[in-house]
Amino acid sequence: MRRAIALIARLRYREGMKPANTLLSSFGTTVFEVMSRLAIEHKSINLGQGFPDDRGPDPVLAEASKALYDPPNQYPPMLGVPELRQAVAAHDKRFYGLDVDWQTETMVSTGATEGLAACFFGLIEPGDEVVLIEPCYDCYLPIIRRAGGIPKMVTIRPPDWSLDPAALRAAFSDKTKLIVLNTPQNPASKVFTQAEMEMIAGLVREFDCYAVCDEAYEHLAFDGRAHIPLMTLPGMRERCVRIGSAGKTFSLTGWKVGYLTAPPHLLAPIAKAHQFLVFTTAPNLQRAVAFGLAQGDDYFDELASTMQAKRDRLSRGLSRAGFGPVACEGTYFLFVDISELGFDGDDEAFCRHITTEAGVTAVPVSAFYREDGPRNYIRFCFAKQDEVLDAAVDKLARHFG
Ligand code: PMP
Ligand code: GLN
């Protein structure tokens, strides 16, 4: 069991009664929930779980509210409302030059999370191997394993996060069904380079497999970096699923609206899983997201530049407070080295300590690795008001100063 996500006690069964599913029961509550609960309990500034603390874009909110009073509010079509599916296809053309047939190649999901689950349940046969790049987002492993997949991990390490070609190749075999690629990557905040993407595409072609691309942070690549969907590389159009998240693109994480683009032969089995998982997603939110995806370039540019400025603000502040931030190329997150702070304990203990003693919460990075991951890094979310970031830095500086 991954030690780091077992932050609270395992479920226990009554003596003599049949256990529920043992695989899922063996995982603790996710680190995001655990740390957010702790932050609420101790009234600390929560830079742990990744969510912005502003209202979100007013025009998109207004559209959702208008749509709520403009029925139908009944079950929308299973694959999503046509407006949003058309908007996804138009978005993919506008940003990435992809020609997408909205009727056979797009699907709306209840957040990127459900989209990922639908991909794993829809594509993996028990015994299939699945290549994952570690550290990785916490929902991948449990769902892949529940779907019968056998994870093959490739580890990337701070501070440079380079992808070792030999290690990557060694993870592939004739049994590989798919690779999961998350770029920009949570928690490493890495934007995969063109060369790395080409290397991955080469292996996907050579081993005749698929790629599930978690692109939740597609509009949060910084310093002029381009987000490159793997789907745009030669031979990849037929082999990739691309997943976006309105939560991240519109700073409305509670909405849980995701969208998938995939060739028809992949979308069909994914939709089969989706129909039994959630079937559909709130119609007013879908219509508002369709409106949002059609916003002008200024919206998308400002999203990235605002978040980049927040990254810089937190990074400068934490450096002054004695922390060692690792380069951050995208997402909401700053990966920080705590080894110079003289703390006697690991990353989990450190995150608990700063929550209770300094009044600031972060997430221990070992939660994104298996047992042997580094124990000296934590992750801060910078998608917060400037004054909140400043207050967090002040508290940490006072505590460690
Ligand atoms: N993938 C990654 C890498 C994430 O960080 C998150 C968290 N938002 C998700 C997927 C889930 O996105 P959603 O909230 O749209 O389900
Ligand atoms: N993606 C968010 C993060 O990495 C958390 C989402 C969740 O809590 N499930 O912090």
Side-chain angles (χ1 to χ4, degrees):
M1 187 184 77
R2 295 173 65 195
R3 195 187 63 80
I5 56 175
L7 284 173
I8 64 168
R10 287 168 165 221
L11 293 181
R12 306 211 181 278
Y13 300 100
R14 269 171 195 265
E15 203 66 23
M17 290 186 78
K18 287 181 182 169
N21 177 260
T22 48
L23 191 146
L24 292 180
S25 304
S26 73
F27 287 92
T29 302
T30 97
V31 70
F32 310 118
E33 175 73 13
V34 170
M35 295 315 295
S36 281
R37 279 190 211 163
L38 203 65
I40 292 167
E41 188 186 327
H42 293 276
K43 298 188 172 51
S44 67
I45 299 179
N46 188 358
L47 305 187
Q49 191 177 28
F51 60 90
D53 63 353
D54 60 7
R55 277 163 56 84
D58 268 325
V60 178
L61 295 176
E63 202 61 28
S65 135
K66 203 167 85 197
L68 194 59
Y69 285 94
D70 176 19
N73 274 303
Q74 308 307 333
Y75 294 131
M78 185 187 91
L79 293 176
V81 300
E83 299 98 293
L84 179 50
R85 298 177 66 207
Q86 285 158 6
V88 169
H91 165 276
D92 290 358
K93 177 75 178 171
R94 168 178 166 197
F95 288 98
Y96 311 121
L98 288 165
D99 286 308
V100 173
D101 173 6
W102 72 269
Q103 305 217 51
T104 57
E105 299 190 307
T106 67
M107 183 182 100
V108 178
S109 60
T110 301
T113 309
E114 189 261 319
L116 286 158
C119 289
F120 299 149
F121 287 126
L123 300 177
I124 295 171
E125 276 285 277
D128 284 347
E129 292 181 359
V130 176
V131 179
L132 291 158
I133 298 172
E134 178 185 53
C136 58
Y137 186 53
D138 79 331
C139 76
Y140 300 164
L141 263 175
I143 309 178
I144 288 167
R145 288 179 54 202
R146 192 68 184 93
I150 299 167
K152 294 285 161 185
M153 311 299 283
V154 184
T155 303
I156 56 173
R157 294 178 197 284
D160 64 325
W161 300 115
S162 57
L163 188 55
D164 174 15
L168 184 67
R169 165 168 283 278
F172 280 79
S173 81
D174 290 345
K175 293 196 185 131
T176 306
K177 175 60 73 68
L178 57 93
I179 177 170
V180 183
L181 177 65
N182 173 211
T183 183
Q185 211 256 22
N186 176 14
S189 305
K190 170 186 172 72
V191 176
F192 284 75
T193 62
Q194 177 83 34
E196 288 169 327
M197 305 288 277
E198 281 168 10
M199 178 163 75
I200 293 168
L203 290 165
V204 169
R205 281 192 299 269
E206 183 181 333
F207 287 89
D208 185 22
C209 56
Y210 305 116
V212 170
C213 302
D214 179 349
E215 302 181 13
Y217 300 94
E218 62 187 316
H219 292 291
L220 290 165
F222 304 144
D223 307 306
R225 281 182 185 82
H227 165 68
I228 311 166
L230 190 67
M231 188 180 262
T232 59
L233 271 65
M236 290 299 100
R237 182 69 178 78
E238 296 303 301
R239 294 183 181 274
C240 288
V241 185
R242 219 183 78 69
I243 305 175
S245 166
K248 300 293 142 45
T249 294
F250 301 106
S251 307
L252 295 162
T253 58
W255 278 21
K256 298 299 282 187
V257 178
Y259 22 88
L260 280 69
T261 306
H265 59 275
L266 295 183
L267 194 73
I270 294 166
K272 292 280 165 62
H274 166 77
Q275 72 180 347
F276 297 128
L277 281 170
V278 295
F279 181 70
T280 193
T281 303
N284 68 316
L285 301 184
Q286 291 196 48
R287 284 156 70 190
V289 171
F291 172 86
L293 286 177
Q295 296 289 290
D297 289 347
D298 49 338
Y299 171 78
F300 295 92
D301 293 345
E302 201 185 313
L303 176 71
S305 61
T306 306
M307 220 52 90
Q308 180 180 317
K310 290 184 183 299
R311 171 202 67 181
D312 294 341
R313 191 176 193 100
L314 183 64
S315 180
R316 275 195 307 269
L318 288 176
S319 301
R320 279 200 304 274
F323 289 71
V326 172
C328 158
E329 301 176 346
T331 74
Y332 285 166
F333 307 113
L334 206 53
F335 209 88
V336 174
D337 188 351
I338 53 170
S339 44
E340 297 301 309
L341 291 164
F343 179 77
D344 183 18
D346 64 10
D347 57 343
E348 276 177 41
F350 187 88
C351 287
R352 285 179 178 275
H353 173 82
I354 59 171
T355 300
T356 57
E357 307 306 318
V360 180
T361 297
V363 159
V365 161
S366 56
F368 298 85
Y369 285 91
R370 290 162 300 168
E371 281 78 3
D372 55 350
R375 312 293 302 173
N376 58 315
Y377 290 96
I378 61 171
R379 192 198 79 175
F380 285 107
C381 171
F382 50 75
K384 307 288 175 190
Q385 308 291 323
D386 288 349
E387 50 279 19
V388 173
L389 297 175
D390 294 348
V393 166
D394 281 354
K395 280 171 179 271
L396 290 168
R398 248 182 283 130
H399 182 73
F400 289 100

